[in-house]
Amino acid sequence: MGDLVKLQIDDKPVEVPAGTLVINAAKTVGIEIPAFCYYEGLSLQAACRMCLVEVEKSPKLMTACTLAVAEGMVVRTDTPQVVEARKSMLEFLLTNHPLDCPVCDKGGECELQDLTFRYGAGQSRFSEIKQHVPEQQWSPIVYFDAPRCILCYRCVRICKEGMGVGALGIINRGAPTEIAPNVGDHLECDECGMCIDICPVGALTSGSYRYKTRPWEMKHVGTVCAHCSNGCTTTLGVYDNRIMRGNNRDRSGINGEFLCVKGRYAFDFVDHPDRLRSPLMTVGGRFEEVPWSKALAAVASKFEEVKQRGGKFGVIGSTRTTNEENDCLQKFARGGLGTENIDHHRTGDLVTLLAAVRGRADALATTEDLYRRKAILVVGADLAQQHPLLAFQIRANWRHHQCRVYTVTRGPVREDSLSVLRVRAEEGGELAAVESLRDALKAEPELVILFGDAIQGSTVRGLVEFGDSLGIPVKYVCLLDYPNSRGAVEMGLTPRDETGLTLPEMLTSPDLDVLWVVGANPLKGASAAAAGAFVVVQDLFLTETAQRADIVLPAASAYEKSGTITSVCGEVQRLTRAVTTMGVKTDLEIFQWLAKLMQLDLEARPTVSGEAEIRTGLIRSAGDTLFTSGTLGRYCKVLNSLREAPGGLYQWTS
Amino acid sequence: MLYNEPSPLEVKVLTRRFAPAGPASLDTYLSTDGYAAFRKALAMQPGEIIEEVKASNLRGRGGAGFPTGMKWGFVPRSSPQPKYIVANGDESEPGTCKDRLLMENDPHQLIEGMMIAGLAVDAHAGYIYVRGEFRYLIEIVDRAIDEARQRGYLGKNILGSSFDFDVHTHTGAGAYECGEESALLESLEGKRGIPRIRPPFPAVVGAFQCPTVLNNVETFCAVPAILRDGGAAFAALGTPRNGGTRLFCLSGHVNRPGVYELPMGFNLLRMIEEVGGGVRGGKKLKAVIPGGSSCPVLKADECDLAMDFDTLAKAKSMLGSGGVVVMDEDTCMVQAALRIMRFYAHESCGWCVPCREGTLWLRKLLARFHEGQGTPTDIDLIGDLARNMLGRTFCPLGDAAAMPTIAFVEKFRDEFEAHLEGRSCPHG
């Protein structure tokens, strides 16, 4: 693939690597060759015939999407024959396509509309009767309108090849050909919505966005998804300060055009009716709405009082707040309150991994590495269920570069279908199982190892020792659950020496005076031993923890603030505020206001010494699925309506 | 079984064992030079076998007429992959009914032809793809395969040589498109019968992604005669670059419809008169489809020509699959065009836009037209739409639908005009 090939397209000189398709070579000189069925990353089809071009010395027009460049090739995309061909292909497509534009959700962002305007005829010559079949609903969010379908098969390919699910198929032959769902008249799948977004027309549409607005009425804000740790960019369509939909329109993120069900549909927690919009204070055993000034003054004065008498603080930070907020909180705790009792809901043993690879460059894998490296080992994780972007990257790597995948898991996972070797291991047996793959892994030129929460403490060190012993370059990914789980560790939301209490220790500490909980729900299914502790909670909803609080401060969500968060593979990405909600403040604003009230100088960074103490039994993945997202997921109505099999993974059987 | 009386003008090479009694048994086959060609080929180098086939000027009998020897030469013998021989018995081209007779009456000839191909390209497994509607043929061919296996003509170390070969039948499920070679391979592999992107061609990437020789049943059936009597002898039976004989399926308005094996280059008018006994009922000849419905129709005054690939190509039609459909003066050409378009619209696999939408549009248009509801601009529209399909489809089915339609409109425009303005069909 290294040699360059010289050719000409419309009299422009083009130089591209050998193997480049003419349709892509044309892009390098700014020439657009239209296509419906050609989609980068998916298998070639040559079905729509829109990309037909003239090639010197060829008697027939050739499809640019399947033609690789050749030295000295002369291609023309601007001749009358090509113009006529494009016009006629569009005319054929529009014969049975219904004139639904006024009522079709895709209007305004429809590729058929765009290409017809650009290359099509102004009038139709079709005067026969169109074939109509009624629209079908295949799931709460997937609607299918067969007459609109132009049979480009992008949806079938993205589901089967891209996602590895294969829930969409093709039935019948000829003009009555139809896309069909996998179970009778409906879909049982990941509900990721990739098919809806990849559809160039309005054949597949979203049930949650239906008829709400038009694409040109929305402001499209690309920000980072608020749910898992993979760091996908989701594009929120905002109209009148309300999020109308989420999709993959902004392709600039590490996820490209991938997005899962949560990134697409789980934004409706933002305007859930249970959103806290006013600070609450416990007065006489009941919550009372109070103004911000009163609530914050009460918090500041309590903190001041406890600090003066040398009382005990417990600070629980969030896995969903920004790096800037996390840094501010740890400074507040250490410098402002003088405490080392700071922790967060840890879901993977990143701290031990960081310690084990300290000082090494290139020991941690990026999301791009999962697409490029030649061998991947997955230990104790169900990627398709819990890390859908990472699963997508690995699957794309396997499709495009034939990478080799090895899995060591407790039960079947979707990656089994791609894996060269798969080993089942019960909890505790992972290292032995990995050891059994030594010979195969040693023969690889390089390796990326991803591991889940079952690998903690000394097992992490054991895994790194194993990797070191292979004699090949190895990179690691410690799988974490939440959007800024990584940032929580890297910004210091863990105790740095033996004096600092961990989260479980804070809960069992009987003499805790203050428990400050930011964006976390530790008291779900647990209670604080210190019955008399003063509990301050910053959150979006009245969670179990907030219900036990003395003061509740309503916080802004990820979609309502700016700042940076760090994905599981270490990409630091910027959040862009999409909407604002009355009555809430960002966590950063709250910290800064409190600091001001307490006259703290947060810029004076305290020195931090030593490495974090790792104690076993602390770390547990929340075990979220595609359809759950911790406490936040409870408030995502659309997401909750989609649960196929509670906690179950759609099994791809072939 | 025979379906028509043989004609004295036939040159019976492939059909010499056709008999009223039914399929030639292995014993009958052996007693009439059966497997002699294979024995000869066993002693030849693979390259020599291919040269002999090239010398015969045998061209694909399925329709495209590609030189068979050249096709076999494209298979990379040195490839480490296994190679396959696949016989195309999908026979779905309207007007064609010869491959069924060859499989029915002389199945061993087909098997022997495939084995010789196997020797030529180092293949040891073959598939005979039979259209699903030919249920009865599967049993006949399977019985012949069993016979051959039991008597050591298939299997390991055939006739004491080091050559292994085995053959399996495989049914289609009712799709014309599966006669297209790459769609056939997809169907053989258990997938939807959609053609593949080519290049690469089956000779290099074929059945199960391995190099494959894929030929029509009749083509394979000609191979034993070529090896037995020599390629030059076979070539001499035909015309230059169009060697041998071929089975013509004479149907339509003739007195003696049937399947006749005639030398390549036989005159079409002579075929209709002397072999077919002339147009029935004493009617006048109006038009002939020379090689199956995909071939542009010939007007009566264009029929005085030699039936071989090159002559038909020069006449802007095709020799095709040998389905000669004779139409008399009472035939409505608009209805003929409609009937043919209904076939292609039904059989279109639906993969590519111009064929899927174009055949359906043309079918609806022609139906409306035939009912007398056409407008003057419709006549030009028919030709226009067909031309928009031509050369732009994923596989030749689109061309097969477009070319005849263009020919009907161009050559019989007056008939189309006679249907305008609500007039009922002049031919009732």
Side-chain angles (χ1 to χ4, degrees):
Chain A
M1 257 273 203
D3 305 329
L4 290 178
V5 171
K6 290 202 185 65
L7 65 150
Q8 267 191 43
I9 303 180
D10 293 347
D11 296 324
K12 292 194 189 166
V14 178
E15 202 169 317
V16 286
T20 308
L21 297 168
V22 169
I23 194 172
N24 291 326
K27 286 182 195 160
T28 66
V29 288
I31 296 173
E32 181 211 34
I33 298 178
F36 287 112
C37 69
Y38 173 72
Y39 200 85
E40 207 157 333
L42 298 178
S43 60
L44 300 180
Q45 302 226 148
C48 72
R49 316 308 282 180
M50 279 302 292
C51 66
L52 288 169
V53 291
E54 259 185 52
V55 180
E56 216 176 70
K57 297 194 209 119
S58 273
K60 294 201 308 188
L61 296 176
M62 311 278 281
T63 47
C65 69
T66 55
L67 185 64
V69 295
E71 188 70 29
M73 191 184 259
V74 177
V75 177
R76 299 219 68 92
T77 74
D78 52 3
T79 65
Q81 204 192 14
V82 172
V83 167
E84 184 57 43
R86 289 177 184 169
K87 215 175 185 180
S88 64
M89 293 307 134
L90 286 164
E91 183 179 37
F92 282 133
L93 274 177
L94 290 167
T95 55
N96 209 56
H97 194 87
L99 208 60
D100 277 357
C101 298
V103 299
C104 171
D105 275 345
K106 202 78 179 180
E109 50 187 13
C110 169
E111 292 182 45
L112 184 59
Q113 277 183 339
D114 292 344
L115 290 188
T116 303
F117 267 88
R118 226 170 285 166
Y119 305 111
Q123 273 185 310
S124 170
R125 301 185 288 179
F126 185 78
S127 43
E128 318 305 325
I129 299 190
K130 296 197 185 208
Q131 252 135 269
H132 180 79
V133 289
E135 190 179 31
Q136 307 163 50
Q137 183 178 9
W138 287 344
S139 88
I141 43 160
V142 182
Y143 278 75
F144 178 66
D145 192 308
R148 294 181 191 167
C149 177
I150 60 171
L151 291 171
C152 68
Y153 311 109
R154 284 187 193 174
C155 56
V156 176
R157 286 177 286 155
I158 193 68
C159 190
K160 176 98 191 219
E161 299 169 21
M163 297 300 293
V165 172
L168 293 170
I170 310 170
I171 56 169
N172 303 339
R173 172 182 88 203
T177 303
E178 251 183 56
I179 307 297
N182 59 336
V183 181
D185 61 353
H186 66 280
L187 283 170
E188 283 179 17
C189 63
D190 289 357
E191 305 282 354
C192 63
M194 293 287 285
C195 58
I196 295 172
D197 279 351
I198 212 175
C199 179
V201 298
L204 285 164
T205 51
S206 161
S208 67
Y209 168 64
R210 236 159 140 64
Y211 305 143
K212 281 198 177 151
T213 179
R214 284 296 188 185
W216 59 83
E217 289 180 331
M218 290 184 282
K219 191 171 76 144
H220 288 101
V221 179
T223 186
V224 186
C225 174
H227 291 284
C228 83
S229 63
N230 291 178
C232 297
T233 294
T234 176
T235 314
L236 302 173
V238 180
Y239 176 59
D240 198 20
N241 198 39
R242 281 186 53 217
I243 302 175
M244 310 302 276
R245 70 170 180 190
N247 66 9
N248 63 359
R249 194 168 157 131
D250 179 345
R251 313 262 172 106
S252 64
I254 55 176
N255 53 314
E257 32 92 30
F258 171 80
L259 203 55
C260 83
V261 57
K262 290 192 249 192
R264 270 198 184 80
Y265 303 110
F267 55 80
D268 51 352
F269 63 85
V270 170
D271 53 14
H272 193 281
D274 291 354
R275 261 318 270 285
L276 295 169
R277 288 165 196 270
S278 161
L280 301 170
M281 262 175 78
T282 314
V283 174
R286 273 180 29 241
F287 275 127
E288 218 177 74
E289 288 187 358
V290 295
W292 274 99
S293 50
K294 183 167 177 189
L296 289 171
V299 174
S301 91
K302 183 68 181 183
F303 282 7
E304 198 61 60
E305 181 244 313
V306 171
K307 181 178 167 185
Q308 288 313 321
R309 63 173 163 86
K312 207 170 186 181
F313 286 94
V315 180
I316 298 178
S318 176
T319 53
R320 300 194 201 251
T321 44
T322 65
N323 291 324
E324 293 75 15
E325 287 167 340
N326 293 346
D327 186 46
C328 190
L329 181 62
Q330 70 89 18
K331 282 185 206 164
F332 201 123
R334 294 184 166 101
L337 303 177
T339 182
E340 194 55 38
N341 304 339
I342 178 161
D343 201 358
H344 65 283
H345 176 196
R346 299 194 232 171
T347 53
D349 199 352
L350 178 63
V351 182
T352 309
L353 176 66
L354 290 177
V357 300
R358 173 150 303 164
R360 291 193 231 184
D362 293 338
L364 301 175
T366 61
T367 307
E368 180 75 1
D369 279 327
L370 296 178
Y371 179 62
R372 298 263 171 222
R373 300 292 140 240
K374 299 192 173 51
I376 315 271
L377 168 63
V378 181
V379 185
D382 190 343
L383 295 180
Q385 187 78 268
Q386 298 176 314
H387 297 278
L389 171 61
L390 307 190
F392 187 84
Q393 292 283 84
I394 292 172
R395 182 169 289 275
N397 189 355
W398 173 76
R399 278 188 297 123
H400 297 159
H401 312 134
Q402 291 78 50
C403 76
R404 285 168 299 284
V405 179
Y406 301 85
T407 54
V408 170
T409 56
R410 208 158 11 135
V413 291
R414 201 176 285 162
E415 282 67 36
D416 287 346
S417 68
L418 339 156
S419 58
V420 171
L421 291 171
R422 60 202 80 95
V423 185
R424 298 279 178 256
E426 288 302 319
E427 200 158 315
E430 295 91 358
L431 272 189
V434 167
E435 181 63 44
S436 76
L437 296 172
R438 175 180 287 278
D439 287 339
L441 296 175
K442 220 172 49 185
E444 296 290 354
E446 57 189 359
L447 184 64
V448 175
I449 303 181
L450 300 94
F451 60 91
D453 67 324
I455 314 294
Q456 325 177 8
S458 56
T459 321
V460 176
R461 292 195 186 274
L463 188 62
V464 174
E465 273 158 30
F466 172 83
D468 287 345
S469 72
L470 293 176
I472 58 175
V474 181
K475 295 192 185 198
Y476 301 88
V477 178
C478 172
L479 295 169
L480 306 165
D481 279 14
Y482 294 114
N484 207 17
S485 289
R486 180 133 173 187
V489 169
E490 289 178 349
M491 289 296 134
L493 297 185
T494 52
R496 299 298 176 87
D497 57 47
E498 290 106 36
T499 66
L501 295 177
T502 62
L503 192 155
E505 286 170 346
M506 287 184 222
L507 294 185
T508 55
S509 168
D511 56 343
L512 207 62
D513 293 301
V514 168
L515 182 63
W516 186 12
V517 181
V518 178
N521 197 11
L523 299 182
K524 177 173 95 166
S527 47
F534 188 82
V535 181
V536 179
V537 172
Q538 293 174 217
D539 212 316
L540 278 61
F541 298 101
L542 206 62
T543 63
E544 287 87 340
T545 308
Q547 282 163 31
R548 319 256 195 88
D550 294 283
I551 299 186
V552 181
L553 303 171
S557 73
Y559 295 150
E560 297 159 320
K561 62 186 173 189
S562 313
T564 64
I565 58 174
T566 309
S567 73
V568 64
C569 293
E571 286 92 7
V572 180
Q573 305 188 99
R574 193 166 287 286
L575 293 177
T576 307
R577 192 176 68 197
V579 290
T580 51
T581 297
M582 292 290 290
V584 308
K585 291 199 182 303
T586 68
D587 293 290
L588 189 65
E589 284 179 302
I590 297 172
F591 301 153
Q592 288 169 339
W593 197 333
L594 280 176
K596 195 156 126 205
L597 287 175
M598 293 174 66
Q599 286 161 11
L600 301 173
D601 177 13
L602 294 183
E603 287 318 300
R605 283 196 82 126
T607 49
V608 183
S609 62
E611 300 176 358
E613 275 292 319
I614 310 306
R615 278 153 269 194
T616 56
L618 299 181
I619 296 153
R620 262 295 166 263
S621 162
D624 279 314
T625 69
L626 287 172
F627 302 102
T628 65
S629 180
T631 303
L632 190 63
R634 283 190 237 151
Y635 300 93
C636 301
K637 285 192 185 150
V638 173
L639 187 67
N640 293 330
S641 76
L642 293 171
R643 284 255 290 255
E644 317 281 50
L649 173 68
Y650 173 75
Q651 293 289 339
W652 184 40
T653 51
S654 62
Chain B
M1 193 178 145
L2 297 185
Y3 297 91
N4 58 278
E5 287 291 318
S7 161
L9 291 171
E10 284 188 72
V11 174
K12 295 177 93 51
V13 179
L14 277 67
T15 58
R16 65 195 184 113
R17 294 186 196 87
F18 281 25
S25 71
L26 181 55
D27 285 319
T28 309
Y29 193 67
L30 288 170
S31 68
T32 50
D33 301 319
Y35 288 104
F38 174 70
R39 279 179 216 275
K40 205 168 165 189
L42 266 179
M44 291 163 76
Q45 291 295 316
E48 290 172 330
I49 301 173
I50 294 179
E51 282 311 306
E52 202 67 53
V53 175
K54 280 186 180 169
S56 72
N57 287 334
L58 174 66
R59 291 164 69 160
R61 296 292 190 248
F66 192 86
T68 308
M70 195 189 292
K71 195 187 238 192
W72 290 14
F74 290 150
V75 173
R77 270 191 63 91
S78 54
S79 161
Q81 286 177 296
K83 299 160 203 59
Y84 295 95
I85 308 296
V86 176
N88 186 343
D90 192 54
E91 188 157 72
S92 304
E93 181 75 11
T96 318
C97 50
K98 58 183 176 69
D99 296 327
R100 63 185 292 179
L101 292 183
L102 286 166
M103 285 190 277
E104 186 179 334
N105 289 298
D106 203 355
H108 283 282
Q109 184 174 235
L110 170 60
I111 295 170
E112 189 181 4
M114 292 173 73
M115 287 165 65
I116 294 170
L119 280 170
V121 300
D122 193 28
H124 305 280
Y127 289 92
I128 302 173
Y129 187 98
V130 182
R131 73 181 266 182
E133 294 89 331
F134 286 165
R135 198 71 237 164
Y136 74 106
L137 277 180
I138 292 276
E139 287 156 23
I140 292 174
V141 178
D142 278 344
R143 250 182 277 136
I145 292 174
D146 276 335
E147 257 191 312
R149 280 190 192 133
Q150 275 166 35
R151 303 268 292 271
Y153 288 89
L154 281 175
K156 299 217 179 292
N157 301 317
I158 299 172
L159 299 182
S161 72
S162 58
F163 184 64
D164 305 338
F165 197 81
D166 202 3
V167 167
H168 315 269
T169 52
H170 182 97
T171 38
Y176 166 73
E177 181 62 15
C178 288
E180 195 281 328
E181 60 178 11
S182 62
L184 188 154
L185 293 173
E186 289 289 286
S187 172
L188 186 69
E189 293 180 20
K191 299 182 261 183
R192 279 171 67 87
I194 311 281
R196 296 174 175 175
I197 295 173
R198 283 145 302 149
F201 292 93
V204 180
V205 179
F208 316 110
Q209 311 307 308
C210 299
T212 302
V213 163
L214 198 157
N215 276 121
N216 177 258
V217 161
E218 187 185 349
T219 311
F220 279 121
C221 287
V223 171
I226 291 169
L227 266 290
R228 195 187 58 231
D229 302 331
F234 189 80
L237 293 171
T239 55
R241 286 183 311 282
N242 295 264
T245 58
R246 87 147 314 159
L247 276 67
F248 288 95
C249 317
L250 197 52
S251 70
H253 302 146
V254 286
N255 282 312
R256 291 197 293 267
V259 178
Y260 303 98
E261 184 175 1
L262 300 164
M264 290 282 271
F266 200 93
N267 184 280
L268 177 57
L269 280 182
R270 200 177 161 217
M271 193 190 300
I272 296 169
E273 281 308 312
E274 296 181 35
V275 179
V279 181
R280 67 167 190 213
K283 300 276 183 179
K284 270 177 41 209
L285 180 67
K286 183 188 234 181
V288 178
I289 293 175
S293 63
S294 307
C295 306
V297 67
L298 297 171
K299 292 199 303 236
D301 61 14
E302 293 174 316
C303 291
D304 188 5
L305 45 59
M307 291 292 270
D308 67 21
F309 291 105
D310 294 333
T311 313
L312 264 302
K314 257 209 295 277
K316 302 266 177 48
S317 184
M318 288 148 52
L319 185 68
S321 60
V324 181
V325 182
V326 177
M327 293 180 276
D328 70 16
E329 58 191 298
D330 291 337
T331 316
C332 172
M333 291 292 112
V334 176
Q335 191 175 23
L338 169 61
R339 184 61 193 89
I340 289 173
M341 191 50 67
R342 269 174 50 201
F343 173 77
Y344 288 109
H346 181 68
E347 295 293 343
S348 170
C349 77
W351 184 247
C352 75
V353 170
C355 174
R356 177 180 81 230
E357 307 294 342
T359 53
L360 182 62
W361 188 354
L362 280 167
R363 191 203 80 197
K364 291 181 180 178
L365 215 178
L366 284 164
R368 175 169 60 82
F369 201 90
H370 187 248
E371 280 164 27
Q373 282 153 38
T375 67
T377 48
D378 281 336
I379 301 178
D380 289 322
L381 183 58
I382 292 168
D384 220 23
L385 293 180
R387 263 179 289 275
N388 279 343
M389 285 169 60
L390 202 54
R392 296 182 188 161
T393 53
F394 190 68
C395 86
L397 193 152
D399 297 332
M403 292 189 310
T405 310
I406 294 170
F408 278 119
V409 171
E410 281 179 0
K411 297 186 182 180
F412 296 98
R413 194 185 175 98
D414 53 327
E415 292 219 17
F416 280 82
E417 281 166 358
H419 281 74
L420 288 174
E421 286 139 31
R423 280 178 260 171
S424 57
C425 178
H427 300 283

